[in-house]
Amino acid sequence: MANRQPLIGGNWKMNLSPADARGPCSALLDGLDAGLLAKCGVSLFPPFPYLSQISDLTAGSGVSIGGQDVSAHENGAYTGQTSASMLLEVGCTSTLVGHSERRHGLGESDSVLNAKVLVAMKAGLDVMLCVGETLDERESGQSEAIVLQQLQEGLQGVSINDLGRLTIAYEPVWAIGTGRNATPGDAQSMHQSIRADLGKQYDDGSANGVRILYGGSVKPDNAEAIFAQPDVDGGLIGGASLQSEDFLDIVRAAVATVDS
Ligand code: 13P
C-alpha cells in the first residue's frame, strides 16, 4: 500500500434517528483504541442534521466527520443546500462529492460535481470524490472509460498542490447495497487505472500519495481481501457502517493489511 495510511469512511446515508445515531457512534468510539487509530483513519458521514451532535461526540477522539454532499456555491439563495463553510462550522473536515446516489439518483453532472470539488477545497475541506460505473456500463465493457472520465472531469482545475486534500472512492454502482462486491482483483484493476490516470494528470509521486478507497457491499468477511490489494487504501462503507461491531471489524481488517 506504499506509504498511504488506510482510511475507512462510514456513510450513514439517510439512516438512523438522532437517538439511534448516538449508540453506534459511542460504541464505535469505545472500540477504537489509539492503536487502531494510529494505523487507520476513520471518518463518519452522518446526515446533515446530526453533524453537530456527532461532532460533539467525536471531539478529541481522532475520528473525523464529513458531509455527505456540499453545495457548488459559496453562499446565497440556494434553498436546501449546505455550503462548505457551514460544514466547517459544525466540525466537518471533509465532504463526499459525487456519491452515486446523487450522481445517478439525482442526476448531478460531472461539471456540477467539479464545481463542488473546487468550492470545497477552496474553503479548506478535504474531498472524497466518488466515481463508479453502472451495471450496463460494466457489461458493455465501458467501466474504465466511464470512471476515468468522471475522474478527469471531476478534477478539472484542481491543482497539484491540492491533491493532499483529495481521496477517491471507487464505488461501482452495481455493488452498492446489493451484497455483490467487486472481486479484489476487479477492485485492484480499477484502482490501478485510477492511480495511473492521476499520474498522467499530475505526476506519479503525487498520484502515489492519493488514497483510493473501494466502496460497495464491503462487509467484515470480504474487507481484508479487498483492502490487501496494493492500490486499495481502505473503504467507504454504507450498510455495515450502521452496525458498530461490523464497522469496527472492517477497521480492524484495514489495520491487519498494514500489520501483515
Ligand atoms: P454499501 O456498503 O451499503 O454497499 O454502500 C456503499 C456506499 O454507497 C458507501 O458510500
Side-chain angles (χ1 to χ4, degrees), residues 11 13 99 101 171 175-178 215-219 236-240:
N11 176 9
K13 308 190 179 183
H99 191 280
E101 287 145 19
E171 299 204 299
I176 296 176
T178 60
S217 297
V218 176
K219 306 289 176 206
L236 183 56
I237 317 302

Side-chain angles (χ1 to χ4, degrees), residues 1-2 4 147-148 151 168 188-213 229-234:
M1 191 184 283
R4 299 178 298 273
V147 166
L148 297 187
L151 185 72
I168 303 295
Q188 167 57 22
S189 159
M190 187 62 83
H191 284 223
Q192 199 172 18
S193 301
I194 291 171
R195 198 175 304 289
D197 197 76
L198 288 172
K200 274 192 227 147
Q201 288 190 57
Y202 298 94
D203 62 44
D204 287 343
S206 306
N208 273 330
V210 175
R211 287 191 284 207
I212 306 176
L213 311 190
Q229 300 299 311
D231 286 294
V232 179
D233 307 312

Side-chain angles (χ1 to χ4, degrees), residues 23-221:
C25 189
S26 301
L28 173 68
L29 296 176
D30 287 346
L32 280 174
D33 56 48
L36 288 176
L37 284 169
K39 292 179 179 166
C40 180
V42 178
S43 294
L44 296 177
F45 298 92
F48 285 145
Y50 310 164
L51 283 171
S52 289
Q53 173 191 343
I54 301 300
S55 170
D56 290 347
L57 213 56
T58 54
S61 68
V63 172
S64 61
I65 64 166
Q68 294 179 11
D69 180 44
V70 66
S71 175
H73 307 282
E74 287 183 10
N75 56 51
Y78 300 102
T79 302
Q81 300 195 31
T82 302
S83 71
S85 61
M86 290 170 185
L87 291 179
L88 285 159
E89 203 61 51
V90 294
C92 291
T93 54
S94 69
T95 184
L96 304 183
V97 172
H99 191 280
S100 93
E101 287 145 19
R102 301 197 62 87
R103 195 187 272 282
H104 298 287
L106 297 174
E108 292 190 352
S109 66
D110 283 314
S111 67
V112 164
L113 299 176
N114 176 237
K116 291 185 175 195
V117 169
L118 294 174
V119 160
M121 284 184 171
K122 183 174 167 212
L125 284 171
D126 291 344
V127 167
M128 194 180 292
L129 177 65
C130 305
V131 294
E133 80 285 1
T134 64
L135 188 57
D136 279 354
E137 289 162 348
R138 169 154 287 253
E139 287 178 343
S140 57
Q142 301 177 75
S143 304
E144 188 180 290
I146 293 287
V147 166
L148 297 187
Q149 181 181 341
Q150 293 170 349
L151 185 72
Q152 289 160 12
E153 295 193 13
L155 296 180
Q156 288 275 323
V158 172
S159 84
I160 197 164
N161 298 328
D162 283 331
L163 282 195
R165 292 205 170 281
L166 179 70
T167 300
I168 303 295
Y170 168 55
E171 299 204 299
V173 181
W174 47 270
I176 296 176
T178 60
R180 180 184 166 197
N181 58 283
T183 64
D186 283 344
Q188 167 57 22
S189 159
M190 187 62 83
H191 284 223
Q192 199 172 18
S193 301
I194 291 171
R195 198 175 304 289
D197 197 76
L198 288 172
K200 274 192 227 147
Q201 288 190 57
Y202 298 94
D203 62 44
D204 287 343
S206 306
N208 273 330
V210 175
R211 287 191 284 207
I212 306 176
L213 311 190
Y214 167 79
S217 297
V218 176
K219 306 289 176 206
D221 61 357

